[in-house]
Amino acid sequence: MTEAVTIEARNAVKAFGQGDHVVRALDDVSIQIRKGEFFTLLGPSGCGKTTLLRLIAGFEMPTSGTILLDGADITDLPPNRRPVNTVFQSYALFPHLTVAENVGFGLTMQGRPKAEVKARVAEMLALVKLEAMAGRKTSQLSGGQQQRVALARALAPQPKVLLLDEPLSALDLKLRKEMQVELKRLQTETGITFIFVTHDQEEALTMSDRVGVMSAGKLQQVGSPKEIYTRPVNRFVASFIGETNFLPATVVAGGVRLSTGDVVEVATAAMGTVTLTVRPEQVRIVGAGEAGAISARVKFLVYFGTDTHCHLALADGTEVVARVQSPASGEAGIVEGSEIGIRFAPGAAQVLED
Amino acid sequence: MAERRFEISRIPGFATIAVATFVMLYLPIAALVTFSFNAGNSVAVWEGFSLHWYADAWNNQAVKDATARSLIIAVCAAVISTTVATLAAMGTTRRARFRGDTFIYVAINQPLMVPEIVTAVALMILFGMVKEATGYQGLGYLILAHSAFCIPFAYLPIRARLEGMDLSLETAAGDLYATPWQTFRHVTLPLLGPGILAGAMLAFVISLDDVIITEFVKSGGQDTLPTYMLGQLRRTMTPEVNAISTALLALTVVLLTIFFLLTRKRD
Ligand SMILES: Nc1ncnc2c1ncn2[C@@H]1O[C@H](COP(=O)(O)OP(=O)(O)OP(=O)(O)O)[C@@H](O)[C@H]1O
Ligand SMILES: [Mg+2]
């Protein structure tokens, strides 16, 4: 499958500061964003997400490396000559202009005819459902409405790529959920490539076609939400996305041997000491002493409504969390202090090299 | 729960001092305005109400000439100093801090720190040499001098406005295909507008009011309104001076009110 690449960064490095105080905000990042996809950059605060967006938008020059758009080198192009638009975290709406003038700003600056600007503004306002607000000043809008104006303004010139830097972080939870749906709809309807930044992993998993996980200026893994969740390439990705168990292990024939001596069947090319990771929902609780099960003791339970987290200790004290469906009332469940066995769902456990 | 804070109004004698201060501030002005309506020749003895000193001032050719000169100088000085101040404010706020930027700040505000009489003497000497060399005697010297000392007054409100401006607005304009010039024209300038207007107004008022530098720099027959009035003091004072002062006061109050409204109102 060959999919057209819209934006590409090649060995992008961005260093701030001089001498002893150099911060490598981006450390040799290479990434390809496909045409028309909803791509999310995910990572903890300060990992370089905004910096990567700013390089793509042209607000910042890479210290080294290149940025390509449809295969052409745009590294030295100023922002006003890149067909890339940004939705800013603070919205950055022009306070001296009306909603309609804000939305039409990009087209006006491009020198498009007045009639065309007017028609396109009307179309964009309809798209974000703000027709009634066209004549208002932006300060007279609610946070969610300002958000929509910012979106309409950035989409109006029909950019090849739309960059969104944590656009939802200023909204309350309910509005945030609404806007997530809205964003996804806009992306599908316009077919424009979206590069979306968030540090909310749930947001990343639910909205994206592909996710790039970043940490400390480096791209750790790129893949579909499912790949990222089920096949994390390293400890950072595994722990940043969702909850997981880490078990120290050594590679033996046909699998790995845990610190308890139990052998878990798993395919790996690694050698020596490794870490076995398995998600809590993939840990099955079975009867104590069942053949092939790893024996454990229930330390305590945390009730989450539909689920219950069982905190377990293996024979040598290694901690494991299992997530099980909460028993219906009256039904006997797992009790604290009881001896049980655990098994991992087939294919769920995964070896991470240390 | 009412917090126990230091309240200056609780100090004994607070009311007395406050009233005395206001009396000191406004009584002279009240007297000035009152006697501008005096029917008689005295600026000290009330002889009945009349508007004839205003009419006299209005019909006095010397006053008319001085007023015209004052206005020309003030308008030119306001325009020039505001333009320079806008550029200076852009230059000092639209960049990362650097070594020596405090020095530049001081340099721009030099007229606020050097005693005006020193500048006046210095300008008189320098312009004297230029007048000798070129033979030019026009209003240009006064306009130049006024423009220079008005710069800090125009600079301060513009800088304040710029510092309060969200830089991401300009980034956003650039992102939306505006060239740097278009960004300045369509985003920076409109947002800076109130600051620029306030700066220009302040510069205008300061120029209109200036005596010391004007007195030293002007050539013969180049009296502005304030230096004309100063000249009148050396002869017999009539309420005509009060009338002119009152008119100036009215103009200044109007301008400063607009200035206040502009600077107070955000966005
Ligand atoms: N202009 C700058 N000057 C110096 N250091 C900077 C600058 N911009 C970013 N950095 C540094 O680069 C690193 C990455 O910053 P960046 O803003 O890209 O992080 P981020 O992933 O967007 O974080 P957040 O989620 O908090 O927005 C940080 O350590 C930051 O301090
Ligand atoms: Mg950021």
Side-chain angles (χ1 to χ4, degrees):
Chain A
M1 190 165 69
T2 57
E3 280 174 90
V5 171
T6 301
I7 282 283
E8 181 174 358
R10 280 192 197 151
N11 307 104
V13 173
K14 180 69 194 181
F16 290 109
Q18 291 157 337
D20 298 338
H21 306 288
V22 174
V23 178
R24 282 192 156 224
L26 283 183
D27 196 356
D28 197 18
V29 169
S30 294
I31 191 169
Q32 294 189 331
I33 317 280
R34 295 171 193 152
K35 198 172 169 61
E37 77 176 332
F38 196 117
F39 190 93
T40 298
L41 283 169
L42 177 66
S45 186
C47 70
K49 306 177 297 286
T50 298
T51 306
L52 183 54
L53 278 203
R54 291 176 63 83
L55 289 191
I56 295 172
F59 305 144
E60 215 92 64
M61 289 283 198
T63 308
S64 67
T66 42
I67 309 288
L68 297 100
L69 177 73
D70 290 341
D73 186 345
I74 57 161
T75 315
D76 296 324
L77 228 50
N80 56 306
R81 292 176 51 204
R82 299 184 186 201
V84 173
N85 288 155
T86 307
V87 176
F88 294 86
Q89 184 171 356
S90 60
Y91 311 145
L93 299 178
F94 304 122
H96 60 298
L97 302 179
T98 63
V99 167
E101 286 166 338
N102 263 281
V103 174
F105 190 88
L107 299 162
T108 310
M109 291 302 117
Q110 284 178 320
R112 307 274 187 87
K114 276 215 170 65
E116 183 192 331
V117 175
K118 206 168 162 229
R120 182 95 186 115
V121 167
E123 190 186 325
M124 292 318 299
L125 287 177
L127 191 67
V128 296
K129 305 184 185 110
L130 279 180
E131 299 98 320
M133 307 285 169
R136 287 218 200 164
K137 281 280 165 69
T138 55
S139 54
Q140 300 167 312
L141 301 180
S142 72
Q145 290 168 332
Q146 292 187 15
Q147 171 72 77
R148 283 162 210 266
V149 176
L151 269 169
R153 184 180 71 173
L155 285 170
Q158 288 170 301
K160 290 195 170 150
V161 180
L162 188 73
L163 308 176
L164 305 104
D165 193 356
E166 303 197 36
L168 309 182
S169 61
L171 304 179
D172 62 46
L173 191 66
K174 185 166 170 294
L175 205 53
R176 203 180 160 113
K177 296 277 175 214
E178 269 174 47
M179 284 307 295
Q180 287 178 1
V181 177
E182 187 83 6
L183 269 180
K184 195 71 190 156
R185 175 181 70 87
L186 284 175
Q187 199 261 334
T188 323
E189 279 178 26
T190 57
I192 291 172
T193 309
F194 275 34
I195 306 181
F196 180 85
V197 163
T198 182
H199 49 231
D200 180 335
Q201 42 128 337
E202 187 190 316
E203 200 164 88
L205 295 181
T206 54
M207 297 175 72
S208 329
D209 296 319
R210 286 197 308 152
V211 179
V213 183
M214 291 182 70
S215 159
K218 287 197 160 72
L219 200 56
Q220 303 291 333
Q221 186 174 3
V222 176
S224 69
K226 199 172 168 198
E227 278 165 8
I228 298 273
Y229 187 76
T230 58
R231 291 275 167 264
V233 295
N234 59 31
R235 217 182 153 108
F236 174 81
V237 177
S239 61
F240 191 72
I241 318 273
E243 288 165 45
T244 197
N245 294 298
F246 290 120
L247 305 169
T250 39
V251 178
V252 294
V256 296
R257 186 192 305 279
L258 301 183
S259 49
T260 55
D262 296 284
V263 172
V264 178
E265 274 181 44
V266 57
T268 179
M271 309 250 275
T273 55
V274 293
T275 300
L276 191 72
T277 178
V278 58
R279 300 276 177 199
E281 68 272 20
Q282 306 289 0
V283 179
R284 305 277 153 81
I285 295 188
V286 295
E290 194 172 296
I294 303 163
S295 51
R297 190 173 48 82
V298 180
K299 280 170 61 185
F300 59 93
L301 304 169
V302 183
Y303 181 70
F304 276 88
T306 48
D307 294 331
T308 299
H309 286 194
C310 311
H311 289 254
L312 314 170
L314 303 188
D316 69 337
T318 307
E319 292 189 19
V320 174
V321 178
R323 197 158 104 192
V324 298
Q325 248 180 23
S326 300
S329 66
E331 188 185 323
I334 300 153
V335 291
E336 285 176 21
S338 61
E339 297 291 333
I340 49 140
I342 57 171
R343 247 185 231 289
F344 302 143
Q350 207 199 329
V351 172
L352 300 175
E353 288 182 59
D354 280 348
Chain B
M1 276 285 125
E3 245 182 278
R4 288 197 151 266
R5 262 178 279 135
F6 172 66
E7 292 228 24
I8 196 150
S9 57
R10 292 242 184 88
I11 293 184
F14 172 81
T16 319
I17 294 171
V19 170
T21 308
F22 279 108
V23 168
M24 286 297 285
L25 276 175
Y26 292 102
L27 189 64
I29 293 176
L32 170 98
V33 174
T34 310
F35 279 92
S36 73
F37 298 109
N38 196 357
N41 276 345
S42 170
V43 294
V45 185
W46 183 252
E47 290 170 47
F49 181 86
S50 158
L51 284 174
H52 83 264
W53 291 114
Y54 285 90
D56 280 9
W58 185 256
N59 293 319
N60 183 337
Q61 191 56 42
V63 173
K64 279 194 207 166
D65 290 347
T67 306
R69 230 171 268 123
S70 271
L71 290 179
I72 291 171
I73 295 169
V75 167
C76 292
V79 169
I80 296 171
S81 63
T82 307
T83 310
V84 174
T86 305
L87 297 176
M90 294 285 295
T92 49
T93 54
R94 281 293 182 270
R95 56 182 305 154
R97 294 202 60 118
F98 58 96
R99 222 173 235 282
D101 58 356
T102 320
F103 177 75
I104 288 179
Y105 190 74
V106 170
I108 291 169
N109 291 303
Q110 179 261 21
L112 293 182
M113 292 167 230
V114 177
E116 196 178 346
I117 189 80
V118 175
T119 313
V121 173
L123 283 174
M124 182 181 71
I125 295 168
L126 178 73
F127 286 157
M129 295 192 285
V130 179
K131 282 177 192 174
E132 191 72 30
T134 62
Y136 173 68
Q137 297 281 342
L139 277 185
Y141 300 106
L142 280 174
I143 291 175
L144 210 58
H146 278 228
S147 301
F149 73 70
C150 284
I151 287 173
F153 296 96
Y155 174 77
L156 294 173
I158 298 174
R159 183 188 157 103
R161 184 91 192 168
L162 263 178
E163 279 179 338
M165 198 188 288
D166 183 0
L167 266 180
S168 68
L169 293 178
E170 287 167 33
T171 310
D175 186 58
L176 291 159
Y177 312 105
T179 61
W181 166 246
Q182 283 177 313
T183 300
F184 180 73
R185 166 76 188 72
H186 294 283
V187 176
T188 318
L189 209 52
L191 291 173
L192 212 50
I196 290 178
L197 215 57
M201 220 118 57
L202 212 53
F204 181 83
V205 170
I206 296 290
S207 162
L208 208 59
D209 178 52
D210 182 72
V211 173
I212 302 176
I213 287 179
T214 314
E215 189 66 33
F216 278 76
V217 169
K218 73 182 168 69
S219 307
Q222 282 187 343
D223 264 324
T224 61
L225 217 40
T227 62
Y228 169 80
M229 285 155 66
L230 192 66
Q232 291 303 296
L233 290 185
R234 295 185 191 125
R235 300 184 210 135
T236 47
M237 261 250 285
T238 65
E240 188 184 71
V241 171
N242 295 42
I244 299 168
S245 302
T246 305
L248 258 180
L249 178 69
L251 177 65
T252 312
V253 166
V254 167
L255 286 177
L256 288 182
T257 307
I258 299 174
F259 167 83
F260 176 74
L261 291 177
L262 283 177
T263 43
R264 188 194 54 171
K265 211 170 152 240
R266 293 278 115 203
D267 78 21

